[in-house]
Amino acid sequence: MGVSGVGEPKSLLADVDGAMCPARLVLEHVTSRWGVLILIALSERSYRFSELRRRVGRVSEKMLTQTLQTLERDGFVHRAAQPVIPPRVDYSLTTLGEEAARQVRELAQWTDRRVPEVERARARYDEARRERATDRSQ
């Protein structure tokens, strides 16, 4: 997306505030609570459903199923059903999924590095709110 906007193709992000913007929908899928964690986990290796559920943690079967289906539909996740008994299904990232996972992992690593700064900001904010509340009550 260029600054001038003259003679350049319209970016999908130009309408990211539109509820049905394709870029917005993909962004919501990739950055959803479970989408982020699934992409990061699958960037390590392929997982069977139950393994992935344990790796991600605190996700219901229903939510994991829905998120995997969404990520598969968007082309990020590959589902490989093995014709064995008992049935075996492995989930892995596609090339597009690997790229998305790298981006998400980078954001997660940045977040991890910045947690102390965020915690300090929260403490300053909370203290300022307490002081304002005290001033109003006097």
Side-chain angles (χ1 to χ4, degrees), residues 10-94:
K10 183 179 176 187
S11 168
L12 292 175
L13 291 177
D15 189 32
V16 79
D17 58 334
M20 294 309 293
C21 171
R24 177 179 175 164
L25 295 174
V26 173
L27 188 61
E28 287 175 3
H29 298 163
V30 170
T31 61
S32 70
R33 176 181 184 179
W34 304 117
V36 167
L37 298 175
I38 290 168
L39 288 171
I40 289 173
L42 289 176
S43 71
E44 300 164 352
R45 64 178 180 88
S46 65
Y47 282 92
R48 293 177 71 180
F49 184 88
S50 57
E51 291 177 311
L52 185 58
R53 185 164 180 228
R54 282 191 300 275
R55 175 67 179 91
V56 169
R58 296 183 298 151
V59 61
S60 69
E61 284 187 30
K62 179 181 177 184
M63 201 69 237
L64 181 57
T65 298
Q66 287 176 349
T67 306
L68 284 167
Q69 287 173 344
T70 298
L71 293 173
E72 182 182 8
R73 181 172 183 252
D74 287 347
F76 297 117
V77 169
H78 175 73
R79 180 183 186 273
Q82 309 298 326
V84 295
I85 297 177
R88 178 186 172 116
V89 178
D90 292 300
Y91 294 91
S92 60
L93 293 177
T94 63

